[in-house]
Amino acid sequence: MSPASESASAVAASDETLPDSGRLTEGTGGTHERRQSQDSNQTNDITQQIQTMIAAVRQLNDNAVQQGAAVAVSSAGAQLKNAVTGLGHLLAMADAQTLASGAASQIKQANEVVDAVEAGIVGTQAATEQLLRNMPAQQAQYAQETSQRFQVEMRNALDQVRGSLAAFQR
């Protein structure tokens, strides 16, 4: 499965509802046990989805960095932005208290991957500026506008993820 498919699957899976596990336990304490089972299943599911999205973002970021200045107009740039946004949505869905203890590794990895994407964006910006100096004025203006739009969209997606991660770092 490609990283883009993995990220799309993770985002799609995050919208699905979990099956009713209420039939698993009956009798005294059954409601409490069902609730714990549902919470545990949901935590494990979200943790796994977060791990999948982190891996997808990491791979897409590697592809984007290789493309350099061209990432702003390539499908790799759009896929990276979508994956970062998906990671932000997953983190925003997660209950910080429930997830924090079981997903400490994923939270750390999410912080690291966001830092890597941010570093890649800075590198892309520098490569773009150098490329623009050697282009005809009209072409350079279009490329600069496209690059700036991409930079803003990526920074917004990264800010969303950082905001979601802040809930886990109290």
Side-chain angles (χ1 to χ4, degrees):
M1 185 179 279
S2 75
S5 322
E6 286 179 5
S7 63
S9 297
V11 171
S14 71
D15 292 335
E16 295 175 4
T17 56
L18 294 173
D20 181 22
S21 61
R23 288 177 250 115
L24 295 176
T25 57
E26 295 296 329
T28 59
T31 302
H32 179 69
E33 291 172 16
R34 282 192 303 262
R35 181 94 173 151
Q36 284 181 327
S37 177
Q38 284 178 326
D39 289 349
S40 177
N41 287 341
Q42 187 175 20
T43 299
N44 289 338
D45 187 45
I46 290 174
T47 302
Q48 185 176 21
Q49 290 175 30
I50 289 170
Q51 186 63 44
T52 299
M53 288 302 289
I54 289 168
V57 169
R58 190 172 281 131
Q59 179 64 45
L60 290 167
N61 187 52
D62 290 346
N63 293 345
V65 168
Q66 290 175 3
Q67 290 193 7
V71 73
V73 294
S74 73
S75 63
Q79 290 171 345
L80 177 61
K81 181 179 63 83
N82 291 340
V84 169
T85 300
L87 177 60
H89 288 305
L90 283 173
L91 291 168
M93 279 181 24
D95 174 55
Q97 291 179 339
T98 304
L99 193 60
S101 61
S105 173
Q106 285 81 3
I107 300 306
K108 182 178 185 254
Q109 290 177 34
N111 275 306
E112 291 169 354
V113 79
V114 168
D115 289 344
V117 170
E118 199 159 40
I121 297 304
V122 169
T124 298
Q125 186 175 3
T128 301
E129 288 172 7
Q130 185 175 4
L131 185 65
L132 293 175
R133 290 185 206 122
N134 299 320
M135 295 177 123
Q138 187 175 10
Q139 190 178 13
Q141 181 180 354
Y142 172 76
Q144 183 175 19
E145 289 169 1
T146 302
S147 177
Q148 286 174 341
R149 186 172 40 253
F150 175 75
Q151 296 282 333
V152 167
E153 290 172 353
M154 283 304 302
R155 291 196 191 287
N156 288 341
L158 291 168
D159 288 347
Q160 176 196 13
V161 174
R162 288 204 190 278
S164 297
L165 285 170
F168 298 101
Q169 298 168 354
R170 292 181 181 161

